[in-house]
Amino acid sequence: ILAKWAPGEQVSDASFTNQQDLLAKCCYAVWVICQGNACNQATFGDTDGILGIIKILEAECEDFLFEVAAGAICALCEGSDKNKDRFREDSGLQPLIHLLEHQCDKIKLNVARALCHLAENPENRKTIRELNGLAKVVQLLAN
């Protein structure tokens, strides 16, 4: 569902709202189902579900959708080295780091949590630093 309905094509305002609601519910379900469950984390990753979440991060979305998408990333990557690699290999770090500049504090909090889990991987840590993600997190903590 995430890959099929992820933002991309222009839709009417009513359809846009329905699409955002559906995607937010799906991301929240991923968050709850994968939190602390290695089997569900692996299954979601093996079915290329991470790509659908990355599409959401790259699109114009409502705040709540960004918030739950970042929360889903936390749940998918906490303790899952394979999903941490997938997220980097599927080019998810750049759009995630970009959300550190979002105006909504809840989004920034979940993004920082996701980056914390992703940074447990040495290659991700290097890429996050190269993409100026560490400096952005430090700046957030200083404010």
Side-chain angles (χ1 to χ4, degrees), residues 31 35 70-71 74 78 108-118:
W31 185 351
Q35 184 92 40
C74 289
E78 182 178 16
K108 292 186 278 194
L109 175 64
N110 282 350
V111 168
R113 288 179 56 231
L115 287 171
C116 179
H117 293 303
L118 287 160

Side-chain angles (χ1 to χ4, degrees), residues 33-44:
I33 291 169
C34 292
Q35 184 92 40
N37 188 312
C39 181
N40 289 345
Q41 289 172 330
T43 301
F44 190 81

